[in-house]
Amino acid sequence: MSPVNPHDDAAAARAVVDDSGTLREWSEGARLLLGHPAADVVGRPAAELLADADDGPALEPGAERWNGTLALRHRDGHTVSVWVLARHRPPETDGPGTWLAVSPLDNGPGQPDDPLVGAALTQSPCATMIFDDRLRVRGVNDTMARLFGLPPDRLRGLRATDLGGRRQAAELEEHMRRVLATGQGHDMHTYLKAPSESRAHAWLARIAPLTGADGEVLGVCVTAHDFTEQHLARERLQLVNEASVRIGTTLDVTRTAQELADVCVPSLADFVSVDLLDPQEHGDDPVTVPTPPVALRRAAHQSVNPGCPEAVAEPGRLDVYPADSPQAQCLAAGHAIIAAVPSGDLERWREWDPVRVGRIEEYGIHSTMSVPLQARGTTLGIAVFTRFRRPYAFTHDDMLLAEEVSARAAVCIDNARRYSRERETTLMLQRSLLPRWLPPTVALEAASRYLPAARSGVGGDWFDIIPLSGMRVALVVGDVVGHGIQASATMGRLRTAVRTLADIDLTPEELLTHLDDLVVRLSEEAGGDGAGEVGATCLYAVYDPVSRHFSLARAGHPPPVLVPPDGPPRQLELPSGPPLGVGGLPFESAELELGEGSVLAFYTDGLVRGRDRGADAGQALLREALAVPADSLDAACDRVLHALLPSGGATDDVALLLARTRGLPPGQVATWDIPADPSLVAPIRKQVVDQLSAWALLEASFTAELVVSELVTNAIRYGSPPIRLRLIHDRTTLICEVSDTSHTAPHLRRAKTWDEGGRGLLLVAQLTQRWGSRHTTEGKTIWAELALLEDE
């Protein structure tokens, strides 16, 4: 037989009976009381010990304790009247539960006759128990007896393990032994429900030694202090502190709602759901006070049960709540509402939503608390707290706590919504300012990508491809400092300025100088306190497919990577140049010749910089990604982004532009040196017609002949020699260029009725698709473009 208590002193009779009524353990005290040895009774029905089989204890279903007087049969046949305290103990494993039955054999002297007990009880201000050196109860005061729901004389002679929960009582005895051994007091904190209480409380047990005149420890005094209010206040403070740390870690509405549910389960409720009002059209805030019926969309929920089986709505589902639902009433009232099943508060759900009522009955839901989510005068939604595992309904203090946590979450949700709205607006602005498609050009094939930052939002990164005269093309990539709408708006202004400056054919270093002046003026307009200071970097390049000449300059921007057709990728070495907005510092251009099929990679620093790597490491990864052959430039873009950006998204916005150069065959270009003699214009026209005939472009010869005649005549009359004529064509365009060494730019003028001249450029403008002039180091070039038929 296993002993009932490892410290059994035979001062009390103890027996263990399982839920089937079979005796499992029998103490020495039980043998002394009834005379039966353990071998005779263990394993047999406990009812055989009753003097009258019909006179057993009447236990109510679910009872945890019973006490009363039983008539038991002694081994010699006589009847013994015994007071018994029986306490049910849940199973420690998968086996059945058991009942511990105990009856004190030696109650010891009563309180009036025991000066030790009398002195202790007289001086104790609260619930007090006195234990002797064998850990038997020697006395209790009335307050402690009321907690146990038994008369004081019924408690004397029992041990703590006979009276309380298995774990807490064993822990108390262990602390009492320590006090007996050391003579030093000790405090024990526990949370339990006393037998006479309806709910558990937090207790502080103060265990103090009781000594005699000679200083010898005779026993211990245990005083119990109910500090539930302090315990709950500490728990509330802990929950509020945890909410401030765990809620709002991101600017994502759904994630924030889930964090609210996660924080409150199980510390405040067994199930929490968060439902939000849908934003109004055009991204406006929800109405201040919604009128029922109210449409709410489930954002998140959490439960003490895995998988949240209590939920009747999955995240993303929209439900409409009628006027008499707790959700609608809560939103209309603007404050929390507690509803309890026993009081019938949820009965009206039966007609509206039988499925929800079925879940209430299935899981034993007995109390709900609906709390509005409000921030900045706007109602965002509602959080519903539910209890079914906890036996206690929500209290007023619970409501105050839920309102405080929900208010914190509402501010975070509102911040996330405002951020999402601003981010979407900025994205729309960004997309409208970036090129929607890259213009097809003879000079190169291109592909691009733009990705906003995963957390910090849209920034001021941009790229562009700008067709120039003479079939040349400009490539530009830039990065405005900062994020948000302001950065995107600044980017749009700079992109427009670049296109305008590119249209007048400035060299790269000249264009960056003008752009730098613009950024300085923008900073001055934004204010001199530094808050509105504008800063940016930029790289501008021009490629000529006829000469395969490539010139570029940068203003604080990362240099491009060149992938030659017959070699590994390498980073171009360029003069760095100051960032835009510094003002007063020069920019320098670099020039090189590119082989046909060379790939150029333009990018912003968000591509190569990361949380755990610097720009050098990122540029090395970029070169590795570009070294792998790709089926297309689009595929190469995707490979680069996959290789350099983390799965969670970029920490900064990213712009990437890949361009593969093409060269114009020499057979599509014709050049003539023109003598400064007006009489030779006619032979030049004849040579132009012959060349167009050789190119099978005779349908454009009439217009081309007129344009060449006007441009050459103007150059001879107003320009300076040497004069050169160049024709360039591709499948859709014929370009006529006349260059001279004069720096005087031509301009249109309105000729009077009787003027003999002044109509040449006006005629050119009317006959061509577009025309213009550009300055060169030697002088200027006047050009005009004529559209050709698509099939030619």
Side-chain angles (χ1 to χ4, degrees), residues 483-501:
H483 295 87
I485 292 180
Q486 184 62 40
S488 294
T490 302
M491 177 273 289
R493 299 176 73 175
L494 295 184
R495 178 172 178 252
T496 301
V498 169
R499 295 186 71 90
T500 302
L501 295 171

Side-chain angles (χ1 to χ4, degrees), residues 70-82:
L70 295 176
L72 302 179
R73 180 176 55 81
H74 196 274
R75 185 182 184 189
D76 61 12
H78 74 276
T79 300
V80 180
S81 181
V82 180

Side-chain angles (χ1 to χ4, degrees), residues 395-459:
T395 64
H396 179 70
D397 288 337
D398 293 330
M399 182 175 68
L400 295 178
L401 177 60
E403 286 180 334
E404 182 170 357
V405 174
S406 298
R408 291 173 178 262
V411 172
C412 295
I413 290 174
D414 187 54
N415 289 339
R417 272 193 167 169
R418 290 171 181 267
Y419 167 78
S420 298
R421 186 164 60 240
E422 180 178 341
R423 177 183 171 86
E424 185 61 30
T425 302
T426 308
L427 274 173
M428 292 176 61
L429 175 62
Q430 182 88 347
R431 294 190 187 104
S432 67
L433 295 176
L434 288 173
R436 298 187 179 183
W437 54 279
L438 298 178
T441 66
V442 175
L444 50 82
E445 170 195 1
S448 64
R449 295 291 186 274
Y450 172 78
L451 293 178
R455 291 175 179 253
S456 54
V458 179

Side-chain angles (χ1 to χ4, degrees), residues 320-333:
V320 178
Y321 295 84
D324 57 353
S325 65
Q327 285 86 342
Q329 292 178 343
C330 169
L331 293 176

Side-chain angles (χ1 to χ4, degrees), residues 462 476-481 490 494-495 497-498 508-523 533-540 553-557 576-585 587:
W462 91 94
V476 59
V477 62
D479 184 359
V480 175
V481 176
T490 302
L494 295 184
R495 178 172 178 252
V498 169
E509 71 274 10
E510 290 176 330
L511 184 141
L512 291 182
T513 300
H514 287 283
L515 200 61
D516 183 48
D517 294 339
L518 171 62
V519 174
V520 170
R521 288 197 300 273
L522 292 177
S523 296
E533 185 174 347
V534 178
T537 64
C538 185
L539 173 65
Y540 182 80
R554 64 183 178 126
H557 201 84
S576 60
L580 299 176
V582 174
L585 296 177
F587 299 94

Side-chain angles (χ1 to χ4, degrees), residues 667-712:
Q668 294 180 223
V669 181
T671 305
W672 294 271
D673 290 326
I674 308 297
D677 185 354
S679 64
L680 297 179
V681 173
I684 293 299
R685 289 201 304 265
K686 177 66 169 59
Q687 295 179 38
V688 168
V689 172
D690 292 341
Q691 183 62 60
L692 294 179
S693 176
W695 285 341
L697 299 176
L698 283 176
E699 79 285 350
S701 60
F702 177 76
T703 304
E705 187 178 0
L706 288 177
V707 170
V708 168
S709 178
E710 292 297 333
L711 296 183
V712 170

